[in-house]
Amino acid sequence: MTNKNNKYQHMKILGIGSRIAHPEYGKGVITNVSSTEYWVTFIESGLETIALDDSFEIIEAAENEVDTVSFSEVETTLRNLLKKWSDVSEIVPIGDKWKGGKLILEPGQPGLASKEIPIDTFFHKIVMVRDRLRVMEQKVNSSNLEEIEKIELQQYITRIYGSLTSFNILFKSPTNHFVGEKSK
């Protein structure tokens, strides 16, 4: 959709802060740029995403403000890298019904005192074990071990996960559960 003044023809990517007039949404400002689309806040219709090659009039182009990767994408990538390669634990919520609870260990021999542990403390330690297993798994996969050795270690790790599935009841979200070997 071009005219004599080339109002709708634009070849280079516009920067954040550029002002445009869209035939459907009206006037707006580009607030984010991804590799395929602009995020534009329009005066009348609010936030919309439009394709980079969509037709619109450029009112004012902001130069040198192009970020083809959004902050959100950088943040997600960084979080995934840290989770994959560091010993830092992510925040994993405990199931609501367990919050503030306690774990009571009763000895089988009479006359011995029982032990109470806050379930939040116990849960935190379970999450740390899970996270350290994940780090170990990554280190095995990226090591210089022979492929057969990697497979054997991976099988041990999977069995350890399987041994820990009893603790899945403590997790709020099933996405955080331990997963062992799948039965066939």
Side-chain angles (χ1 to χ4, degrees), residues 148-182:
I148 189 72
E149 292 172 308
K150 286 183 184 182
I151 291 169
E152 287 174 0
L153 288 171
Q154 193 62 257
Q155 288 173 343
Y156 279 113
I157 292 170
T158 300
R159 288 187 203 117
I160 293 168
Y161 281 134
S163 299
L164 296 169
T165 57
S166 299
F167 299 114
N168 285 345
I169 61 167
L170 297 173
F171 290 92
K172 184 171 187 168
S173 171
T175 59
N176 293 313
H177 282 179
F178 290 103
V179 178
E181 287 183 288
K182 304 275 189 221

Side-chain angles (χ1 to χ4, degrees), residues 51-162:
L52 292 178
D53 61 355
D54 203 346
S55 296
F56 53 82
E57 178 184 352
I58 301 168
I59 298 171
E60 181 184 337
E63 300 296 325
N64 300 321
E65 293 296 324
V66 175
D67 179 10
T68 56
V69 179
S70 71
F71 177 74
S72 174
E73 291 170 316
V74 171
E75 185 179 34
T76 301
T77 302
L78 183 58
R79 185 180 299 116
N80 290 341
L81 282 170
L82 287 172
K83 191 187 303 184
K84 184 175 181 177
W85 296 105
S86 76
D87 201 16
V88 175
S89 297
E90 66 179 302
I91 297 171
V92 178
I94 190 169
D96 292 336
K97 69 180 179 180
W98 304 107
K99 288 181 182 173
K102 57 186 168 187
L103 184 66
I104 302 170
L105 302 171
E106 296 279 345
Q109 297 176 6
L112 297 176
S114 61
K115 172 80 174 170
E116 288 186 10
I117 302 168
I119 205 157
D120 294 331
T121 302
F122 179 75
F123 178 72
H124 177 70
K125 294 195 181 288
I126 293 294
V127 170
M128 287 188 336
V129 167
R130 186 199 63 176
D131 291 346
R132 290 182 178 141
L133 275 172
R134 287 180 176 172
V135 171
M136 182 189 302
E137 194 170 22
Q138 293 301 324
K139 290 187 181 225
V140 165
N141 289 337
S142 64
S143 73
N144 293 330
L145 294 171
E146 295 293 324
E147 208 54 41
I148 189 72
E149 292 172 308
K150 286 183 184 182
I151 291 169
E152 287 174 0
L153 288 171
Q154 193 62 257
Q155 288 173 343
Y156 279 113
I157 292 170
T158 300
R159 288 187 203 117
I160 293 168
Y161 281 134

